Amino acid sequence: MTELHAVRDTTVWERQWQQHFQRVSALLDTHTTAGERSDARTRITDADRTTIDRLLRRTFDA
């Protein structure tokens, strides 16, 4: 979502994504450590990135 924020208009980001980003961030902060998040970032695969991209673009929606 951070990458998405970098390429979206601020108004669009705030209206469509900021609340979701805050919820995901709070969830991660509550249930993982900074070290676990860092480790996960180093292990992400291209397939993971593709899945996340598709989720954000809503291409899995029926």
Side-chain angles (χ1 to χ4, degrees):
M1 287 181 129
T2 302
E3 291 175 4
L4 180 65
H5 187 204
V7 298
R8 299 299 275 181
D9 175 73
T10 301
T11 303
V12 172
W13 169 260
E14 289 172 355
R15 186 177 64 242
Q16 295 180 350
W17 296 100
Q18 185 172 10
Q19 185 179 17
H20 302 297
F21 179 77
Q22 290 171 335
R23 285 198 312 257
V24 169
S25 295
L27 180 70
L28 289 171
D29 289 345
T30 300
H31 297 286
T32 63
T33 66
E36 289 169 330
R37 292 188 298 276
S38 178
D39 182 53
R41 285 185 192 103
T42 64
R43 292 185 293 118
I44 194 168
T45 66
D46 287 340
D48 296 329
R49 289 183 189 280
T50 298
T51 298
I52 293 165
D53 183 62
R54 289 188 65 196
L55 286 167
L56 291 174
R57 294 177 189 275
R58 301 183 70 157
T59 60
F60 286 123
D61 292 358

